[in-house]
Short mmCIF file of all heavy atoms in Angstrom, two decimals:
data_model
loop_
_atom_site.label_atom_id
_atom_site.label_comp_id
_atom_site.label_asym_id
_atom_site.label_seq_id
_atom_site.Cartn_x
_atom_site.Cartn_y
_atom_site.Cartn_z
N GLU A 1 9.92 8.60 3.40
CA GLU A 1 11.33 8.59 3.71
C GLU A 1 11.98 7.19 3.56
O GLU A 1 13.13 7.04 3.14
CB GLU A 1 11.59 9.09 5.09
CG GLU A 1 11.16 10.57 5.27
CD GLU A 1 11.64 11.48 4.25
OE1 GLU A 1 12.72 11.34 3.75
OE2 GLU A 1 10.95 12.47 3.90
N ILE A 2 11.18 6.14 3.90
CA ILE A 2 11.82 4.79 3.84
C ILE A 2 12.04 4.36 2.36
O ILE A 2 12.81 3.40 2.09
CB ILE A 2 11.01 3.72 4.57
CG1 ILE A 2 9.62 3.46 3.90
CG2 ILE A 2 10.91 4.12 6.10
CD1 ILE A 2 8.91 2.32 4.59
N PHE A 3 11.33 5.00 1.41
CA PHE A 3 11.55 4.70 0.00
C PHE A 3 12.56 5.59 -0.67
O PHE A 3 13.01 5.38 -1.76
CB PHE A 3 10.20 4.79 -0.75
CG PHE A 3 9.33 3.60 -0.56
CD1 PHE A 3 8.19 3.65 0.21
CD2 PHE A 3 9.66 2.31 -1.08
CE1 PHE A 3 7.39 2.55 0.43
CE2 PHE A 3 8.89 1.18 -0.87
CZ PHE A 3 7.72 1.36 -0.11
N GLY A 4 13.03 6.67 0.08
CA GLY A 4 14.13 7.47 -0.41
C GLY A 4 13.91 8.03 -1.79
O GLY A 4 12.79 8.54 -2.13
N ASP A 5 14.92 8.03 -2.66
CA ASP A 5 14.89 8.56 -4.00
C ASP A 5 13.94 7.81 -4.94
O ASP A 5 13.68 8.35 -6.08
CB ASP A 5 16.31 8.66 -4.62
CG ASP A 5 17.23 9.58 -3.91
OD1 ASP A 5 16.69 10.54 -3.17
OD2 ASP A 5 18.46 9.38 -3.91
N THR A 6 13.40 6.70 -4.53
CA THR A 6 12.53 5.96 -5.38
C THR A 6 11.15 6.68 -5.41
O THR A 6 10.39 6.53 -6.40
CB THR A 6 12.35 4.54 -4.94
OG1 THR A 6 13.59 3.95 -4.64
CG2 THR A 6 11.57 3.70 -5.91
N ALA A 7 10.90 7.42 -4.39
CA ALA A 7 9.59 8.10 -4.23
C ALA A 7 9.57 9.53 -4.65
O ALA A 7 10.65 10.20 -4.63
CB ALA A 7 9.12 7.94 -2.83
N TYR A 8 8.40 10.09 -5.07
CA TYR A 8 8.26 11.48 -5.34
C TYR A 8 8.62 12.29 -4.12
O TYR A 8 8.44 11.90 -2.99
CB TYR A 8 6.82 11.74 -5.77
CG TYR A 8 6.45 13.17 -6.03
CD1 TYR A 8 7.13 13.91 -7.06
CD2 TYR A 8 5.47 13.81 -5.36
CE1 TYR A 8 6.75 15.21 -7.36
CE2 TYR A 8 5.08 15.13 -5.63
CZ TYR A 8 5.76 15.82 -6.63
OH TYR A 8 5.40 17.15 -6.96
N LYS A 9 9.25 13.46 -4.29
CA LYS A 9 9.88 14.21 -3.25
C LYS A 9 8.93 14.65 -2.20
O LYS A 9 9.36 14.84 -1.02
CB LYS A 9 10.65 15.39 -3.76
CG LYS A 9 9.75 16.43 -4.49
CD LYS A 9 10.61 17.51 -5.07
CE LYS A 9 9.82 18.58 -5.78
NZ LYS A 9 8.93 19.40 -4.87
N ASP A 10 7.68 14.90 -2.48
CA ASP A 10 6.74 15.48 -1.54
C ASP A 10 5.60 14.47 -1.25
O ASP A 10 5.23 13.64 -2.10
CB ASP A 10 6.12 16.80 -2.06
CG ASP A 10 7.10 17.89 -2.24
OD1 ASP A 10 8.03 18.01 -1.42
OD2 ASP A 10 7.05 18.58 -3.29
N VAL A 11 5.01 14.57 -0.03
CA VAL A 11 3.81 13.83 0.27
C VAL A 11 2.66 14.63 -0.32
O VAL A 11 2.53 15.81 -0.05
CB VAL A 11 3.58 13.70 1.80
CG1 VAL A 11 2.22 13.16 2.11
CG2 VAL A 11 4.65 12.77 2.41
N VAL A 12 1.89 14.01 -1.16
CA VAL A 12 0.77 14.72 -1.86
C VAL A 12 -0.39 14.85 -0.91
O VAL A 12 -0.88 13.89 -0.35
CB VAL A 12 0.36 13.88 -3.13
CG1 VAL A 12 -0.84 14.63 -3.81
CG2 VAL A 12 1.52 13.74 -4.07
N ILE A 13 -0.76 16.07 -0.72
CA ILE A 13 -1.92 16.39 0.21
C ILE A 13 -3.02 17.25 -0.55
O ILE A 13 -3.97 17.61 0.13
CB ILE A 13 -1.46 17.07 1.50
CG1 ILE A 13 -0.74 18.38 1.18
CG2 ILE A 13 -0.59 16.14 2.33
CD1 ILE A 13 -0.35 19.20 2.37
N ASP A 14 -2.85 17.46 -1.79
CA ASP A 14 -3.82 18.22 -2.59
C ASP A 14 -4.05 17.51 -3.88
O ASP A 14 -3.20 17.52 -4.74
CB ASP A 14 -3.40 19.65 -2.83
CG ASP A 14 -4.44 20.41 -3.53
OD1 ASP A 14 -5.43 19.87 -4.08
OD2 ASP A 14 -4.33 21.71 -3.56
N PHE A 15 -5.18 16.79 -4.04
CA PHE A 15 -5.33 15.96 -5.23
C PHE A 15 -6.05 16.69 -6.39
O PHE A 15 -6.52 16.06 -7.35
CB PHE A 15 -6.16 14.69 -4.79
CG PHE A 15 -5.52 13.92 -3.68
CD1 PHE A 15 -5.95 13.96 -2.41
CD2 PHE A 15 -4.41 13.17 -3.99
CE1 PHE A 15 -5.30 13.26 -1.38
CE2 PHE A 15 -3.72 12.47 -2.99
CZ PHE A 15 -4.19 12.48 -1.71
N SER A 16 -6.13 17.99 -6.22
CA SER A 16 -6.61 18.78 -7.36
C SER A 16 -5.48 19.27 -8.27
O SER A 16 -5.71 19.84 -9.28
CB SER A 16 -7.46 20.00 -6.80
OG SER A 16 -6.55 20.88 -6.17
N LYS A 17 -4.25 19.09 -7.81
CA LYS A 17 -3.10 19.54 -8.53
C LYS A 17 -2.39 18.42 -9.30
O LYS A 17 -2.22 17.31 -8.77
CB LYS A 17 -2.05 20.22 -7.59
CG LYS A 17 -2.62 21.41 -6.88
CD LYS A 17 -1.56 22.00 -5.93
CE LYS A 17 -2.06 23.28 -5.24
NZ LYS A 17 -1.09 23.83 -4.26
N LYS A 18 -1.99 18.71 -10.50
CA LYS A 18 -1.33 17.73 -11.29
C LYS A 18 0.08 17.37 -10.82
O LYS A 18 0.74 18.24 -10.29
CB LYS A 18 -1.15 18.29 -12.80
CG LYS A 18 -0.62 17.28 -13.72
CD LYS A 18 -0.62 17.83 -15.12
CE LYS A 18 -0.03 16.81 -16.17
NZ LYS A 18 -0.04 17.37 -17.52
N ILE A 19 0.44 16.13 -10.89
CA ILE A 19 1.73 15.75 -10.37
C ILE A 19 2.58 15.36 -11.60
O ILE A 19 2.24 14.51 -12.48
CB ILE A 19 1.65 14.42 -9.50
CG1 ILE A 19 0.78 14.70 -8.27
CG2 ILE A 19 3.04 13.99 -9.09
CD1 ILE A 19 0.44 13.54 -7.48
N VAL A 20 3.77 16.00 -11.71
CA VAL A 20 4.68 15.75 -12.74
C VAL A 20 5.95 15.09 -12.13
O VAL A 20 6.72 15.79 -11.50
CB VAL A 20 4.99 17.02 -13.53
CG1 VAL A 20 6.11 16.71 -14.65
CG2 VAL A 20 3.84 17.67 -14.12
N THR A 21 6.17 13.83 -12.41
CA THR A 21 7.32 13.15 -11.88
C THR A 21 7.60 11.88 -12.66
O THR A 21 6.70 11.29 -13.26
CB THR A 21 7.10 12.72 -10.38
OG1 THR A 21 8.24 12.16 -9.86
CG2 THR A 21 5.88 11.79 -10.28
N ASP A 22 8.89 11.45 -12.66
CA ASP A 22 9.27 10.19 -13.27
C ASP A 22 9.53 9.15 -12.23
O ASP A 22 10.00 8.01 -12.49
CB ASP A 22 10.46 10.37 -14.15
CG ASP A 22 11.70 10.89 -13.42
OD1 ASP A 22 11.56 11.22 -12.19
OD2 ASP A 22 12.79 10.95 -13.97
N LYS A 23 9.22 9.46 -10.95
CA LYS A 23 9.43 8.58 -9.86
C LYS A 23 8.37 7.40 -9.87
O LYS A 23 7.25 7.61 -10.31
CB LYS A 23 9.34 9.23 -8.51
CG LYS A 23 10.44 10.31 -8.33
CD LYS A 23 11.81 9.74 -8.30
CE LYS A 23 12.87 10.79 -8.08
NZ LYS A 23 14.24 10.21 -8.02
N SER A 24 8.79 6.25 -9.39
CA SER A 24 7.93 5.07 -9.47
C SER A 24 6.90 4.99 -8.33
O SER A 24 6.03 4.20 -8.38
CB SER A 24 8.79 3.80 -9.45
OG SER A 24 9.62 3.77 -10.56
N ILE A 25 7.13 5.78 -7.26
CA ILE A 25 6.25 5.78 -6.10
C ILE A 25 5.77 7.22 -5.80
O ILE A 25 6.63 8.12 -5.75
CB ILE A 25 6.90 5.25 -4.88
CG1 ILE A 25 7.45 3.82 -5.19
CG2 ILE A 25 5.94 5.16 -3.69
CD1 ILE A 25 8.26 3.23 -4.02
N VAL A 26 4.51 7.40 -5.60
CA VAL A 26 3.93 8.65 -5.14
C VAL A 26 3.23 8.40 -3.84
O VAL A 26 2.33 7.53 -3.79
CB VAL A 26 2.99 9.28 -6.13
CG1 VAL A 26 2.36 10.64 -5.56
CG2 VAL A 26 3.75 9.64 -7.46
N ILE A 27 3.59 9.10 -2.77
CA ILE A 27 2.97 8.91 -1.43
C ILE A 27 1.99 10.07 -1.19
O ILE A 27 2.36 11.21 -1.38
CB ILE A 27 4.00 8.94 -0.31
CG1 ILE A 27 5.20 7.94 -0.67
CG2 ILE A 27 3.37 8.53 1.03
CD1 ILE A 27 4.84 6.48 -0.66
N GLY A 28 0.82 9.75 -0.70
CA GLY A 28 -0.18 10.76 -0.37
C GLY A 28 -0.78 10.52 1.01
O GLY A 28 -0.59 9.46 1.63
N ALA A 29 -1.52 11.53 1.47
CA ALA A 29 -2.20 11.40 2.80
C ALA A 29 -3.47 12.14 2.79
O ALA A 29 -3.96 12.56 1.70
CB ALA A 29 -1.24 11.98 3.83
N GLY A 30 -4.10 12.31 3.96
CA GLY A 30 -5.36 12.98 4.08
C GLY A 30 -5.39 14.41 3.44
O GLY A 30 -4.42 15.15 3.60
N TRP A 31 -6.45 14.77 2.82
CA TRP A 31 -6.58 16.01 2.13
C TRP A 31 -7.41 17.02 2.83
O TRP A 31 -6.93 17.91 3.41
CB TRP A 31 -7.17 15.73 0.72
CG TRP A 31 -7.25 16.94 -0.21
CD1 TRP A 31 -6.60 18.12 0.04
CD2 TRP A 31 -8.00 17.05 -1.37
NE1 TRP A 31 -6.93 19.06 -0.99
CE2 TRP A 31 -7.76 18.37 -1.87
CE3 TRP A 31 -8.79 16.23 -2.15
CZ2 TRP A 31 -8.34 18.85 -3.05
CZ3 TRP A 31 -9.42 16.67 -3.32
CH2 TRP A 31 -9.17 17.97 -3.78
N VAL A 32 -8.76 16.80 2.85
CA VAL A 32 -9.68 17.80 3.42
C VAL A 32 -10.64 17.15 4.39
O VAL A 32 -10.92 15.99 4.32
CB VAL A 32 -10.48 18.49 2.30
CG1 VAL A 32 -9.61 19.37 1.45
CG2 VAL A 32 -11.26 17.48 1.49
N PRO A 33 -11.16 17.92 5.38
CA PRO A 33 -12.09 17.43 6.37
C PRO A 33 -13.37 16.92 5.58
O PRO A 33 -13.76 17.46 4.61
CB PRO A 33 -12.43 18.63 7.22
CG PRO A 33 -11.20 19.44 7.08
CD PRO A 33 -10.74 19.32 5.72
N GLY A 34 -13.97 15.91 6.20
CA GLY A 34 -15.22 15.41 5.57
C GLY A 34 -15.01 14.33 4.55
O GLY A 34 -15.92 13.76 3.99
N SER A 35 -13.70 14.00 4.34
CA SER A 35 -13.35 12.92 3.37
C SER A 35 -12.78 11.82 4.09
O SER A 35 -12.72 11.72 5.31
CB SER A 35 -12.46 13.55 2.29
OG SER A 35 -12.21 12.63 1.26
N SER A 36 -12.23 10.84 3.34
CA SER A 36 -11.57 9.69 3.95
C SER A 36 -10.32 9.36 3.08
O SER A 36 -10.29 9.74 1.96
CB SER A 36 -12.48 8.46 4.01
OG SER A 36 -12.68 7.97 2.67
N THR A 37 -9.39 8.60 3.69
CA THR A 37 -8.20 8.21 2.95
C THR A 37 -8.54 7.19 1.86
O THR A 37 -7.82 7.08 0.87
CB THR A 37 -7.07 7.68 3.86
OG1 THR A 37 -7.61 6.73 4.78
CG2 THR A 37 -6.43 8.86 4.62
N ASP A 38 -9.65 6.47 2.03
CA ASP A 38 -10.07 5.55 0.91
C ASP A 38 -10.44 6.39 -0.27
O ASP A 38 -10.10 6.03 -1.39
CB ASP A 38 -11.31 4.78 1.41
CG ASP A 38 -10.98 3.70 2.42
OD1 ASP A 38 -9.77 3.42 2.57
OD2 ASP A 38 -11.83 3.16 3.05
N LYS A 39 -11.19 7.44 -0.09
CA LYS A 39 -11.53 8.33 -1.20
C LYS A 39 -10.25 9.01 -1.78
O LYS A 39 -10.12 9.06 -2.99
CB LYS A 39 -12.49 9.44 -0.72
CG LYS A 39 -12.86 10.40 -1.85
CD LYS A 39 -13.80 11.46 -1.34
CE LYS A 39 -14.08 12.48 -2.42
NZ LYS A 39 -14.99 13.59 -1.96
N ASP A 40 -9.34 9.40 -0.91
CA ASP A 40 -8.11 10.03 -1.34
C ASP A 40 -7.23 9.06 -2.23
O ASP A 40 -6.62 9.44 -3.17
CB ASP A 40 -7.23 10.47 -0.18
CG ASP A 40 -7.92 11.60 0.63
OD1 ASP A 40 -8.73 12.30 0.00
OD2 ASP A 40 -7.66 11.76 1.81
N ALA A 41 -7.36 7.74 -1.89
CA ALA A 41 -6.61 6.75 -2.65
C ALA A 41 -7.17 6.67 -4.09
O ALA A 41 -6.45 6.56 -5.07
CB ALA A 41 -6.79 5.36 -1.97
N VAL A 42 -8.47 6.76 -4.22
CA VAL A 42 -9.15 6.75 -5.49
C VAL A 42 -8.75 8.04 -6.31
O VAL A 42 -8.43 8.02 -7.49
CB VAL A 42 -10.63 6.61 -5.41
CG1 VAL A 42 -11.30 6.74 -6.80
CG2 VAL A 42 -11.02 5.31 -4.77
N LEU A 43 -8.72 9.13 -5.60
CA LEU A 43 -8.31 10.44 -6.29
C LEU A 43 -6.89 10.39 -6.72
O LEU A 43 -6.60 10.85 -7.81
CB LEU A 43 -8.57 11.57 -5.30
CG LEU A 43 -10.02 11.92 -4.87
CD1 LEU A 43 -10.04 13.01 -3.84
CD2 LEU A 43 -10.78 12.36 -6.15
N LEU A 44 -5.98 9.79 -5.89
CA LEU A 44 -4.56 9.69 -6.26
C LEU A 44 -4.44 8.77 -7.51
O LEU A 44 -3.67 9.04 -8.42
CB LEU A 44 -3.76 9.21 -5.15
CG LEU A 44 -2.28 9.02 -5.43
CD1 LEU A 44 -1.64 10.38 -5.81
CD2 LEU A 44 -1.56 8.46 -4.21
#
């Protein structure tokens, strides 16, 4: 929210799905149990 229209409209929480956007920022968060946000960062 603090990046407003500069960021992709949704918080990405499923890194198996393709992201189609022309936005300069994509924000993501935790995906599945047993993983870590460090791993999620690599996946994103």
Side-chain angles (χ1 to χ4, degrees):
E1 299 309 326
I2 67 174
F3 283 108
D5 292 337
T6 311
Y8 179 58
K9 63 183 180 67
D10 297 319
V11 171
V12 179
I13 57 174
D14 185 344
F15 302 105
S16 67
K17 296 180 180 179
K18 186 177 180 180
I19 300 171
V20 180
T21 182
D22 60 353
K23 298 296 184 180
S24 298
I25 304 174
V26 176
I27 311 293
W31 183 16
V32 293
S35 187
S36 70
T37 48
D38 287 345
K39 178 181 177 180
D40 294 336
V42 175
L43 292 174
L44 179 61

